[in-house]
Amino acid sequence: MKLSNYKMGKEIVMKKLNLKKINIENIHISKKVATRTAIGALSAMIIATGAWAFNASAGKDKDDTSSTSQDKVDKIESDDLKASLEKNVTISTVDADKEEMVYIISDAKGDVSSVIVSEHLKNKDGKDKIKDVSSLSDIKNVKGDETFTQDGDSLTWDAKGSEIYYQGTTDAELPISQAVTYYLDGKEIEPDKLAGKDGHVTIRFDYENKAKEGEVYVPFVAFTGMILDDNFSNIEVSNGKAIQDGNTSIIVGYAVPGIKDSLNAPGLNIPDYFEVSADVKDFELEATMTVVTNLGSLSFGDGSIDFSSIEDTITSVITGIDELSDGAAVLAEGTDTLKDGFKDYSDGVTSLTDGVSQYLDGSVSVNAGIKQVKDGIDTVSANMPAFQSGVTNLMNGANDAYEGSVKLKDGMKELHDGINKMCNSVEDIAGNIDDAKQDVYDSFKSKTGMTYDEASEKLQQLKSQRNQVIAACKNSVDMWSTLEEIDGGIASLEKGLGQVDGAIAALDGMKSKVSGSDTADGIAALRTGAGKVETGAIGLSEGLWKLYDGTRVLNDGTTTLVDGVSQLADGANTLYDGSNTLIANNQTILDGSSRLYDATIQLTNGIDELSEGAHKLDDGVKEFKEEGISEVMDGYVTDAEDLVDRIDAIKTAAENYQSYAGIAEGQQGTVKFIFRTDGIK
């Protein structure tokens, strides 16, 4: 069956059912759901209650027999139950020429004792004569004096412009019946034995549809109402609802007997019974009432069912399969690209691992050099007291060389100043390098809004998220845009951090040169020179007493030099401690590098598996599209055609069934059945 044939069948159903279109969301492609949609259309039509008060005041001028019959009809009414059904059962009847109400009086089990039929002939045009057809016996006008003549089942009423209300009796088989079964504590019990009992009671109404036209039943819907007093508790209702009203509970149940068979859908949950259960003390039950109507006698109002979206849904499913196939191919291609691109990343991790190893080796060498500088400074510091003592001796011996000592003093002062400037310059350069390093970090934070450590941590988080997104890409192509954003963030952070690392490395190189072996050699040379000065000063002291003032100045400078050497020793100790701390963290760096390398290997393997799986998915979707979906769609459309035909047949059966007792040709009729079931007391 092609979609065009299905569409034609759908339009026929829409036309014959006179349905208005509404949108139904989330229609799945299955016979089960499509059938439920049809049931929604049928079950949306419910019974009318316009004839509850049938001729309450009629027949007052009739004979006793008419009054007796009318009394039987009056027994059917229950004000509370009527009000509840009117409140909870919404109706909309079609405009008919003949309205028929069939009242069925039955005992507590549903066995029928009598049937009374009430007819209302509308006289829309004010005719003098109304032709009618009826199989009833004992026909009586219950709301007027109009008479009729009868020829078999044909009646002619002398209406004189009035509408006719009459009733009669019949023993013809009813098109629908109900049976009531009672259970006490799970065991079936006769109604007369249930009165006054305590326990858990279940009351079940089963409805049988006997009106069949061809392969389908006339679509009757039944509503049953009952009133339970406060002796009933823990009430549960199947296929209905309970309404609490003060100390009483009003129960309304429904059923659509025969529809499952008509739709050839025995698995669907379409009720053909109504059941209520409760815990009861001193059981007593008032009369119950059931109203049955033919769905064909009702209009749908503003809400109906539209099957037009099913065709669109089939098309959408096929389109979706095409898109899925295209997406699987793109995914396979993307995983290949990822696999190729990740190789560059893997090579980079390998280079990083090698670089970390080189760094660790270099840091050990740096630490050893720092220790040598520290040891040299410590040696200088230890010899400074002896140097100071020699200068003092020089000062005392230069007393006789005053004139020469003045020149020596000036020279020594210039030498002292130069040494101080040199030492200060060395310290200033080291300090400025540290300040410059801090400026680099501050500039990075100013531009990025993050410290160097925060940026490094953010970089690791992005790399972790990237791995998660790569895994998520198996299920969603849309995640590739997220991966691209993360890759952009990683590249930006790596570039910024690389620039910072390069600047810091350059500054550290400068500092290493300032604090390196050449500087230590200079300090050693200075110490040697100072020794020579001391030796010369001792020789000069024997003949140059005029050098006295100069040696005194030298003595003062020596004290300052001692303090400077002490500060230099403290700085060397701090540098050495920092170097030791750096060495202590080497293992952590090595471990992290190793874990990164291992994770990269695992990720590489995972990407290989992802690529293989993506290609398998691509092949599987193609196979599903080519070999599976076509058969599914063809099978569905065939089921839909059968469903449309059955709905058409049900509608036809509903339209044809317009009367129980008969109707004249060309007339439009409606019929309702009201069952009054005896109570139990």
Side-chain angles (χ1 to χ4, degrees), residues 134-153:
S134 178
S135 61
L136 297 178
S137 303
D138 302 325
I139 297 175
K140 294 180 177 60
N141 187 334
V142 295
K143 197 179 179 182
D145 297 325
E146 297 84 3
T147 60
F148 67 93
T149 58
Q150 184 172 7
D151 183 9
D153 289 342

Side-chain angles (χ1 to χ4, degrees), residues 377-392:
I377 293 175
D378 288 342
T379 301
V380 171
S381 179
N383 291 328
M384 285 308 295
F387 174 73
Q388 187 177 27
S389 177
V391 171
T392 300

